[in-house]
Amino acid sequence: MFRKRTSRVGFALCALVALYFISIAGYALLNHGDYATDTLRIIRYVLGPTAIAVALLAAGLWLKPDGALVTGICAIAVLISLFMFEIMLTLRSVEGAVGLSGYVAGESSGDPAFRQAMPPAYTLNRLNHELGIERPEDAILEGVPNATVLLCAANGAPVTYVADRYGFRNPPTIYENDIDLMVLGDSFAEGICLPDGQDVVSRIRAEEPATMNTGSRGAGPPLEIAILRRWGPRFTPDQVVMMFFEGNDWQNMDRQAPAPYLASALDASVPVGRPEAVAERHVKSADIIESWWDASAQSVDGFLSRRSWVRNLVALQQTALVLGLHYPKASAENPEYTHMLSLARDLVAGWGGELFVVYVPQVDRFVGILPSSAAFDDLRNHVHKATDEADVPIIDLTPVFMAHPAPRTLYAPDAHFSALGAQVAADQILKRLAR
């Protein structure tokens, strides 16, 4: 009787852990377009978990009762240990995530000095959505002029900059002379959580003083095209750089595509609005921005509840990342990106300038024990193909970052550039632009 009970308990424990791995494989198959499109992902998300589940079920069925029980106990212990490790990693990541969203020690995030500009967690695309903007000429494509912008909280202290007369992150003297270089991009270009002088565009500006930064958090290629169409002809820079972030720019194209004002902005015949009419466009934004600050200042719990902590915890995402086994969703080709690059190239060439794309790899490439860079290269290959087809030079930072003796140090805890990473990126961009 005891051996029979031992056998049942051993099988139940093995089956419980096997069920977890079967659920991973099942989720991957249900979302095969994201997780089961190539050999690497099929092995990681389907064959690997299935093999573990089958091995555990076989052990529970065919081993002697004592062997099945020991196997089940060990499997449960390992799985619990992995979840405990995941909880520890998640708690460590909370502080950086909260700081990135502007929660400053005390009540500093509610300081009236910051409330004129958007809170860190909000974007221009969301602002235009809230305003119901449909035409590119009515869209807000710039920050609030002369406002103090809160980028993040680092160690409980605010990191800020003062926007220029047009709402971008530039020194006020930048417009005293002709603009030679214009930088387009998202939070990497804006310089999230880096003080003035340490962000990538400031590093470039140290060598090329006439560099204009139009970067804005959450921007993607469609929004950057709209910004280029509005501001490029106003300043006609000799060189234009579009920064492409591997982490979300491909997805941002799909997310931003339904926005009517961005879809229309990809038609070169549709007007995109007068550049200098920034104040007029921001008249309606003040109340919305104020309401965002009220919501943002309510509690840290409110912020945390909007993130996918539970889903990531169940998937052991942080643990898989440390092991080098967390692969991004597969990326399909998107011909629309080639069209966007061609539109931008022709626009810049129209005033005699040259367009470049800067490819920014995400930190996940460099943090795992096992090499996982190949899992990210499908998107990188798509971007290279698009730039080739559009005849736009690409400055790929991936090889330079991979060759660095400590690539992880090129990124801050919030996964954006560290001060060192911004310097390495700026050096590579300047080196390529100078050719």
Side-chain angles (χ1 to χ4, degrees), residues 158-215:
V159 179
T160 66
Y161 70 87
V162 177
D164 65 25
R165 71 184 71 168
Y166 300 124
F168 298 118
R169 188 178 190 179
N170 296 293
T173 57
I174 191 68
Y175 304 109
E176 294 177 359
N177 300 294
D178 292 339
I179 300 298
D180 296 330
L181 172 63
M182 178 180 287
V183 179
L184 304 158
D186 60 4
S187 51
F188 279 84
E190 187 180 8
I192 286 295
C193 228
L194 288 174
D196 284 336
Q198 294 186 17
D199 61 286
V200 64
V201 178
S202 290
R203 306 276 190 174
I204 293 173
R205 193 180 291 119
E207 300 294 328
E208 294 290 342
T211 298
M212 178 182 178
N213 186 3
T214 67

Side-chain angles (χ1 to χ4, degrees), residues 11 14-16 18-19 22 50-63:
F11 175 75
C14 289
L16 182 61
L19 180 62
I22 289 173
T50 300
I52 294 173
V54 170
L56 287 170
L57 290 174
L61 284 172
W62 295 327
L63 287 179

Side-chain angles (χ1 to χ4, degrees), residues 225 253 262-268 334-346 355 386-387 389-390:
I225 295 295
M253 283 194 292
L262 290 179
S264 299
L266 298 179
D267 183 346
N334 191 339
E336 188 64 21
Y337 185 55
T338 304
H339 165 68
M340 294 180 194
L341 291 181
S342 299
L343 174 63
R345 177 206 61 209
D346 292 344
L355 175 70
T387 56
E389 292 176 348

Side-chain angles (χ1 to χ4, degrees), residues 343-416:
L343 174 63
R345 177 206 61 209
D346 292 344
L347 177 64
V348 175
W351 65 69
E354 186 175 11
L355 175 70
F356 296 82
V357 169
V358 172
Y359 189 87
V360 179
Q362 59 179 312
V363 66
D364 292 3
R365 278 182 174 266
F366 310 112
V367 299
I369 296 173
L370 299 174
S372 60
S373 187
F376 297 81
D377 279 343
D378 56 339
L379 173 56
R380 184 175 168 222
N381 293 335
H382 293 328
V383 174
H384 273 265
K385 181 180 178 182
T387 56
D388 287 343
E389 292 176 348
D391 194 24
V392 174
I394 184 170
I395 306 170
D396 191 346
L397 299 180
T398 308
V400 177
F401 278 34
M402 292 186 69
H404 193 274
R408 182 63 184 86
T409 63
L410 304 178
Y411 298 85
D414 60 36
H416 289 84

Side-chain angles (χ1 to χ4, degrees), residues 12 21 45 101 118 139 170 202 282 295-296 300 364-365 373 425:
F21 286 99
Y45 291 111
S101 289
M118 293 187 300
N170 296 293
S202 290
H282 268 288
S296 296
V300 174
D364 292 3
R365 278 182 174 266
S373 187

Side-chain angles (χ1 to χ4, degrees), residues 51-113:
I52 294 173
V54 170
L56 287 170
L57 290 174
L61 284 172
W62 295 327
L63 287 179
K64 293 180 179 180
D66 290 346
L69 182 61
V70 170
T71 301
I73 291 174
C74 290
I76 284 288
V78 169
L79 189 60
I80 292 175
S81 298
L82 290 174
F83 276 111
M84 294 299 292
F85 185 60
E86 180 72 17
I87 291 172
M88 183 192 72
L89 294 176
T90 300
L91 291 175
R92 286 174 57 184
S93 69
V94 167
E95 183 178 353
V98 170
L100 191 61
S101 289
Y103 289 97
V104 183
E107 297 296 328
S108 299
S109 61
D111 192 319

Side-chain angles (χ1 to χ4, degrees), residues 131-142:
L131 290 170
I133 300 297
E134 295 189 356
R135 301 186 307 171
E137 59 187 316
D138 299 326
I140 297 177
L141 306 178
E142 317 83 7

